[in-house]
Amino acid sequence: MLKVGLPLGACARSWKSVRMASCGMARRNPLENKVALVTASTDGIGFAIARRLAQDGAHVVVSSRKQQNVDRAVATLKGEGLSVTGTVCHVGKAEDRERLVATAVKLHGGVDILISNAAVSPFFGSLMDVPEEVWDKILDVNVKATALLTKAVVPEMAKRGAWVLTTFLRQPCWASLRTWPSNWQSRMFG
């Protein structure tokens, strides 16, 4: 049987090199002196995003609806030598969104990055069986709260000159946004 290709060691080294370059590992602390807010960031994908941002040099403000989750995440990430603080934030509550932004501004002087990871999906079953109150909750948290948090953060981002917004919308919301014009950000924010 004919063997073709590079030896396994060479493939592994090549893959590691590509992976490192693609994830910014070639640059040291590319987010140094940047401040990131990450909602729903004490577990799962949100926690992984917060960790990565901090590993890349950002000061990260993590959040969760429960204080014990915030405390656990902050302790874990600080234990890794990362710059992280945290606060309770239920994105559906205006006072919590305000506190999240105020925490970043007070402790770090502003905000550069917003990762809006918080979302709800309280119903399992056929789309045709979703009651109206469940749609209200989905839209309030997944769409309205994200838009209002963005509205609160963008002025702080603008003061620092550059900004990054990332949101994670569930499928029912995304379907309605596909028809928005490609320059919707400039229409919404200025």
Side-chain angles (χ1 to χ4, degrees), residues 45-95:
I45 292 171
F47 183 77
I49 291 168
R51 174 182 274 150
R52 183 53 196 239
L53 290 168
Q55 288 171 340
D56 282 350
H59 304 290
V60 179
V61 180
V62 299
S63 66
S64 174
R65 292 177 297 154
K66 298 179 181 174
Q67 184 65 53
Q68 66 265 24
N69 294 348
V70 172
D71 295 341
R72 182 179 33 84
V74 168
T76 299
L77 295 173
K78 280 189 173 184
E80 296 174 13
L82 302 174
S83 176
V84 62
T85 57
T87 187
V88 170
C89 181
H90 183 305
V91 296
K93 297 179 178 177
E95 60 275 7

Side-chain angles (χ1 to χ4, degrees), residues 1 35 52 139 162 164 177 179:
M1 188 161 137
V35 180
R52 183 53 196 239
L139 293 172
V164 176
L177 295 177
T179 59

Side-chain angles (χ1 to χ4, degrees), residues 18-34:
V18 168
R19 183 175 50 84
M20 288 175 66
S22 70
C23 65
M25 290 179 71
R27 295 187 343 193
R28 190 143 173 85
N29 295 328
L31 298 177
E32 189 170 17
N33 297 319
K34 301 297 181 192

Side-chain angles (χ1 to χ4, degrees), residues 1-187:
M1 188 161 137
L2 181 63
K3 292 186 179 183
V4 180
L6 296 171
L8 184 57
C11 288
R13 283 191 302 277
S14 295
W15 170 248
K16 183 177 180 184
S17 173
V18 168
R19 183 175 50 84
M20 288 175 66
S22 70
C23 65
M25 290 179 71
R27 295 187 343 193
R28 190 143 173 85
N29 295 328
L31 298 177
E32 189 170 17
N33 297 319
K34 301 297 181 192
V35 180
L37 299 182
V38 187
T39 63
S41 53
T42 59
D43 197 16
I45 292 171
F47 183 77
I49 291 168
R51 174 182 274 150
R52 183 53 196 239
L53 290 168
Q55 288 171 340
D56 282 350
H59 304 290
V60 179
V61 180
V62 299
S63 66
S64 174
R65 292 177 297 154
K66 298 179 181 174
Q67 184 65 53
Q68 66 265 24
N69 294 348
V70 172
D71 295 341
R72 182 179 33 84
V74 168
T76 299
L77 295 173
K78 280 189 173 184
E80 296 174 13
L82 302 174
S83 176
V84 62
T85 57
T87 187
V88 170
C89 181
H90 183 305
V91 296
K93 297 179 178 177
E95 60 275 7
D96 284 7
R97 292 189 305 266
E98 291 167 11
R99 183 177 46 251
L100 179 64
V101 176
T103 297
V105 171
K106 179 181 175 187
L107 296 176
H108 303 294
V111 179
D112 299 288
I113 301 165
L114 170 63
I115 306 294
S116 185
N117 182 56
V120 297
S121 185
F123 186 84
F124 298 96
S126 169
L127 183 66
M128 301 308 292
D129 296 331
V130 179
E132 185 174 350
E133 57 273 3
V134 172
W135 278 113
D136 290 342
K137 183 173 184 173
I138 291 169
L139 293 172
D140 280 349
V141 173
N142 298 6
V143 179
K144 182 180 172 184
T146 297
L148 292 173
L149 180 57
T150 301
K151 184 179 176 182
V153 169
V154 166
E156 294 300 331
M157 292 176 157
K159 291 175 187 175
R160 294 172 67 97
W163 43 281
V164 176
L165 295 170
T166 304
T167 63
F168 300 90
L169 296 174
R170 302 279 192 235
Q171 184 61 34
C173 305
W174 176 248
S176 67
L177 295 177
R178 282 188 289 193
T179 59
W180 283 25
S182 60
N183 65 342
W184 70 272
Q185 294 96 337
S186 62
R187 291 182 183 183

